[in-house]
């Protein structure tokens, strides 16, 4: 098998362990469902990501972790300790990043709908405000300039280029085409640069892209970096940074494992593309910003759940668990696959649908799955749930938000 990304899970004598601890021991003291995260695995992915960038000769890499993937404060504090900055998309995320101790000068603010109060808060964060507002429209640039003028400050801005490339991923998480609401077309960026009124209290410090999430194919990444580089040459202004966004995928299935780009391959692709399209043609040496989310936290987390009961309808068998689509919406929203693993392995297998308690047919974690026969109270884990799990949870059906534990 290619590309085995480390996970905290391992069977020992048919019993599931998490970071070497028996899962039943961890779960016995707690009510389910809950999210369980591994600090060790988090460290591994951050360090691997950062060191891979250094190894590939990327100048001064700045990792701005995409907080939306997992905004648990302990996770953020750990990432801060490891040297990470943050990519935020709301004042809520910004406040969390600051509460974790992340320096505002290591924070970029993305998102199409930054409001006046959010811009003001970001501008006033720390002595110099945040590292960059990654601007997604001309209207936003105008507003940032106005607010900065009122505050007698200079706002640091970068344009988020919409590079018009189609990333091969689920349509809900592809962001790099002009039909998507994200970023600005090159022509609009060039026009905005020529309007002096937009630049009285703003300064252009960088350019950014982000073409989508759960990317496994690197072709679109190369095409987007080419567009980013061409624009950087065309504007002929010294830039402090080029931000290549996030998006690197993880393996949720065996099929994905076969085609997945490893962290090293991703870094090599980014490095080669930047050299070819940018550095070979320029004297400038902007630092490179990354906005990884899923690759740093996806594998470190699982959702731990217990079987409520089983049920049979003619030839259909259901295993009903206490975690639902309100806890982990990815299967319902993107038809995403998350492996469900029994705490105890056994030879007595059954074909079953694993479903949650929510009153929706989409509340299903797997159809016709082969699993050991499970009974009320048995533990299962839903794997690879560290990214876009808890952060997308809701209280639908008046259910509580599942707690999180970092080991
Ligand atoms: N930067 C920006 C501007 C983004 O919008 C995103 C993700 C990222 C970075 C981080 O992307 P990542 O490295 O995590 O792929 N809820 C979906 C994913 C939505 C991603 C939204 N933007 C899911 O569960 O698959």
């Amino acid at each position: 098998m290619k590309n085995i990304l480390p996970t905290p899970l391992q069977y020992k004598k048919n019993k599931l362990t998490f970071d070497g601890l028996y899962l039943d021991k961890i779960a016995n003291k707690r009510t389910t469902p809950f999210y369980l995260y591994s600090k060790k695995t988090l460290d591994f992915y951050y360090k691997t990501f950062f060191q891979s960038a250094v190894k590939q000769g990327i100048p001064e890499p700045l990792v701005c972790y995409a907080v939306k993937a997992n905004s648990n404060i302990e996770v953020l504090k750990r990432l801060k300790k490891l040297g990470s900055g943050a990519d935020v998309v709301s004042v809520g995320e910004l406040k969390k990043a600051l509460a974790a101790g992340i320096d505002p000068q290591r924070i970029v603010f993305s998102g199409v709908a930054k409001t006046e109060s959010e811009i003001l808060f970001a501008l006033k964060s720390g002595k110099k405000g945040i590292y960059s507002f990654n601007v997604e429209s001309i209207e936003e640039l105008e507003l940032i300039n106005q607010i900065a003028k009122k505050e007698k400050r200079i706002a640091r801005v970068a344009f988020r280029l919409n590079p018009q490339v189609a990333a091969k991923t689920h349509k809900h998480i592809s962001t790099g085409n002009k039909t998507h609401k994200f970023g600005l077309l090159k022509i609009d960026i060039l026009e905005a640069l020529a309007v002096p009124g937009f630049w009285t209290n703003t300064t252009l410090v960088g350019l950014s892209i982000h073409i989508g999430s759960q990317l496994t194919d690197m072709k679109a990444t190369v095409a987007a970096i080419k567009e980013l580089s061409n624009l950087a040459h065309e504007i002929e202004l010294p830039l402090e940074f080029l931000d290549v966004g996030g998006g690197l995928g993880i393996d949720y299935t065996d099929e994905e494992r076969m085609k997945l780009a490893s962290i090293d391959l991703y870094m090599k692709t980014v490095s080669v593309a930047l050299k070819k399209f940018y550095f070979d043609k320029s004297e400038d040496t902007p630092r490179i910003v990354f906005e990884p989310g899923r690759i740093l936290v996806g594998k470190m987390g699982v959702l731990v759940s217990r079987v409520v009961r089983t049920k049979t309808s003619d030839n259909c068998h259901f295993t009903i668990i206490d975690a639902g689509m309100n806890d982990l919406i990815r299967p319902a929203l993107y038809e995403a696959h998350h492996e469900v693993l029994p705490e105890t392995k056994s030879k007595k297998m059954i074909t079953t649908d694993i479903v949650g308690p929510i009153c929706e047919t989409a509340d299903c974690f797997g159809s016709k799955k082969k699993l050991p026969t499970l009974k009320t109270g048995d533990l299962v884990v839903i794997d690879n749930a560290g990214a876009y799990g808890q952060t997308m949870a809701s209280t639908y059906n008046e259910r509580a938000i599942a707690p999180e534990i970092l080991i």
Side-chain angles (χ1 to χ4, degrees):
M1 239 184 317
K2 209 182 126 194
N3 255 328
I4 301 173
L5 294 171
T7 100
L9 293 175
Q10 207 190 342
Y11 280 100
K12 278 188 197 157
K13 295 189 191 134
N14 292 333
K15 303 279 281 172
L16 198 54
T17 63
F18 187 91
D19 263 356
L21 303 170
Y22 283 103
L23 189 80
D24 58 353
K25 293 255 155 49
I26 302 171
N28 272 347
K29 297 177 215 136
R30 298 181 165 96
T31 37
T32 48
F34 63 88
Y35 276 95
L36 184 60
Y37 305 141
S38 155
K39 202 186 260 185
K40 204 165 111 190
T41 311
L42 175 63
D43 284 14
F44 170 84
Y45 282 100
Y46 182 86
K47 287 180 189 164
T48 305
F49 193 88
F50 182 78
Q51 283 160 9
S52 181
V54 173
K55 210 164 61 192
Q56 293 301 333
I58 304 254
E60 273 190 279
L62 173 60
V63 176
C64 288
Y65 163 67
V67 173
K68 63 173 81 66
N70 186 319
S71 57
N72 178 280
I73 190 74
E74 298 305 324
V75 169
L76 296 180
K77 281 184 182 164
R78 187 70 197 164
L79 284 166
K80 189 261 154 185
K81 209 167 175 194
L82 292 166
S84 185
D87 161 47
V88 301
V89 291
S90 71
V91 78
E93 286 188 357
L94 174 55
K95 285 180 180 170
K96 267 250 177 117
L98 296 171
I102 297 176
D103 180 352
Q105 279 296 302
R106 294 171 85 79
I107 298 179
V108 297
F109 196 161
S110 309
V112 295
K114 301 175 194 82
T115 64
E116 208 169 318
S117 63
E118 289 182 313
I119 293 167
L120 186 62
F121 187 90
L123 196 62
K124 288 177 149 179
S125 296
K127 276 202 187 97
K128 294 191 249 166
I130 57 166
Y131 187 56
S132 174
F133 288 92
N134 287 359
V135 168
E136 309 232 14
S137 64
I138 305 295
E139 294 78 358
E140 182 192 329
L141 174 65
E142 251 185 298
L143 181 63
I144 294 173
N145 192 50
Q146 272 170 23
I147 296 170
K149 199 168 182 176
K150 235 194 273 166
E151 293 300 314
K152 297 193 174 56
R153 284 182 177 240
I154 300 291
R156 296 167 53 85
V157 303
F159 281 117
R160 173 167 174 185
L161 170 70
N162 181 318
Q164 302 198 62
V165 301
K168 267 199 213 152
T169 184
H170 191 280
K171 66 177 172 50
H172 290 352
I173 52 176
S174 175
T175 55
N177 231 320
K178 72 172 173 197
T179 51
H180 303 135
K181 66 184 174 183
F182 302 99
L184 282 149
L185 298 180
K186 181 168 151 181
I187 181 166
D188 298 322
I189 293 176
L190 295 173
E191 261 180 40
L193 279 168
V195 181
F198 294 161
W199 301 102
T200 59
N201 290 70
T202 50
T203 178
L204 186 75
V205 287
L207 294 175
S208 80
I209 46 168
H210 174 74
I211 59 169
S213 194
Q214 186 52 17
L215 307 178
T216 48
D217 173 32
M218 293 291 101
K219 280 201 195 93
T221 300
V222 172
I225 290 176
K226 184 176 177 189
E227 292 303 315
L228 179 77
S229 304
N230 287 349
L231 175 63
H233 292 309
E234 220 163 304
I235 62 178
E236 288 181 340
L237 289 168
L239 296 170
E240 284 181 36
F241 70 87
L242 293 177
D243 177 345
V244 295
L248 181 57
I250 60 170
D251 54 327
Y252 290 97
T253 61
D254 284 346
E255 195 193 310
E256 272 170 336
R257 189 164 305 147
M258 300 311 287
K259 59 179 190 192
L260 193 74
S262 64
I263 293 177
D264 276 345
L265 177 64
Y266 167 77
M267 280 304 170
K268 195 167 180 193
T269 307
V270 169
S271 170
V272 168
L274 282 168
K275 185 171 179 320
K276 178 168 170 198
F277 300 119
Y278 186 80
F279 289 111
D280 279 356
K281 302 178 188 166
S282 176
E283 304 270 273
D284 292 342
T285 50
R287 81 183 305 188
I288 303 302
V289 175
F290 295 88
E291 300 172 0
R294 189 188 319 262
I295 188 67
L296 300 189
V297 293
K299 291 258 151 195
M300 68 150 192
V302 297
L303 179 58
V304 182
S305 176
R306 281 188 195 275
V307 175
V308 177
R309 65 178 61 85
T310 58
K311 146 172 182 172
T312 320
S313 298
D314 191 11
N315 59 348
C316 299
H317 184 271
F318 300 96
T319 303
I320 306 166
I321 61 174
D322 62 8
M325 64 188 272
N326 73 298
D327 302 301
L328 179 67
I329 202 173
R330 300 193 70 258
L333 196 56
Y334 316 112
E335 295 178 333
H337 181 88
H338 287 261
E339 207 58 51
V340 180
L341 302 166
E343 185 270 325
T344 307
K345 269 191 181 171
S346 102
K347 292 211 172 84
K348 234 175 116 198
M349 302 293 270
I350 192 165
T351 301
T352 186
D353 283 13
I354 305 145
V355 297
I358 300 291
C359 300
E360 302 237 8
T361 304
D363 187 24
C364 178
F365 292 104
S367 282
K368 309 279 173 280
K369 300 285 296 178
K370 268 208 143 75
L371 275 184
T373 314
L374 293 165
K375 57 180 190 319
T376 301
D378 283 350
L379 277 172
V380 294
V381 304
I382 302 171
D383 199 6
N384 299 319
Y388 306 107
Q390 204 273 352
T391 50
M392 293 181 79
S394 78
T395 56
Y396 186 38
N397 283 193
E398 273 314 305
R399 281 166 53 84
I401 298 285
E404 299 162 283
I405 296 143
L406 178 71
I407 291 196

